[in-house]
Amino acid sequence: MTSSSVLDLAPVVPVVVVEDAADAVPLARALVAGGLPAIEVTLRTPAALDAIRAIAEAVPDAVVGAGTVISPENVADAVAAGARFLVSPGWTDTLLDAMKGSGVPFLPGVSTTSEVVSLLERGVTEMKFFPAEAAGGTAYLKSLAGPLPQARFCPTGGISPASAPSYLALKNVGCVGGSWMLPADAVAAKDWARVEDLAREASRLAG
């Protein structure tokens, strides 16, 4: 990883749900070609770990990570498959200990000020803000910047190409997560050129 921080790899981290592991490599190549090297493969499907493994082996320019990490077993399985970062929708002490011990960067999920403060107490300054739109959006994150300037976020959840720039304009946001560059019909049709075009547009979003 060129940066020790997931937040600095690209303005947008694609959040990918892989149903068919055979799609993983062409999908990842399209995202990388479009300028989005950090790819979060969510552990929501039986194909997820195979997808991470395939991308790690066949797409060296991709920085593939695992999302929806909710247990120490998820942490171990993801890292064994080749995940280079971990993202969780929320966190517990047990999960946090596992992620800290994994040897790879991680973004624990938060949606309240108390969760942010608890992570700061534990030396964690980079977090996922989820579900971003439902949990207060840009107004909430802007409010956190004053009392908690050391915390940096990757907001994910309900973010679109229209709303992404307003998030990226915030000083405590390093990147956003989203899946709009992976429309279901394009993936079903294996229209990787369309995915690449949408990824390129996303890579140009900035605050």
Side-chain angles (χ1 to χ4, degrees):
M1 195 178 301
T2 54
S3 168
S4 61
S5 171
V6 180
L7 300 184
D8 298 326
L9 289 171
V12 179
V13 176
V15 179
V16 183
V17 179
V18 178
E19 300 289 349
D20 182 350
D23 291 338
V25 168
L27 185 154
R29 286 178 174 151
L31 292 172
V32 171
L36 300 181
I39 301 169
E40 175 189 335
V41 177
T42 65
L43 302 182
R44 299 181 196 174
T45 67
L49 291 172
D50 286 338
I52 290 170
R53 193 172 293 111
I55 295 169
E57 292 173 357
V59 192
D61 291 335
V63 180
V64 64
T68 322
V69 173
I70 58 171
S71 70
E73 291 76 20
N74 286 164
V75 171
D77 290 345
V79 173
R84 294 169 64 186
F85 65 92
L86 306 170
V87 184
S88 69
W91 66 276
T92 64
D93 288 330
T94 300
L95 179 58
L96 188 66
D97 287 344
M99 291 195 292
K100 278 189 165 186
S102 69
V104 300
F106 58 92
L107 296 173
V110 297
S111 61
T112 70
T113 307
S114 294
E115 290 170 329
V116 176
V117 172
S118 293
L119 284 177
L120 291 175
E121 277 187 355
R122 290 160 173 79
V124 178
T125 59
E126 299 189 342
M127 312 165 196
K128 169 177 175 169
F129 179 59
F130 175 83
E133 288 288 282
T138 54
Y140 194 96
L141 286 171
K142 193 178 296 184
S143 298
L144 292 181
L148 303 170
Q150 62 273 59
R152 294 180 73 218
F153 301 94
C154 173
T156 303
I159 296 175
S160 68
S163 62
S166 61
Y167 281 95
L168 292 166
L170 299 176
K171 59 186 177 182
N172 57 350
V173 169
C175 62
V176 299
S179 56
W180 69 84
M181 71 295 300
L182 297 158
D185 57 341
V187 174
K190 303 188 190 304
D191 187 352
W192 308 125
R194 183 176 169 207
V195 171
E196 181 180 337
D197 288 344
L198 290 169
R200 187 169 291 108
E201 291 173 14
S203 75
R204 294 173 180 153
L205 294 172

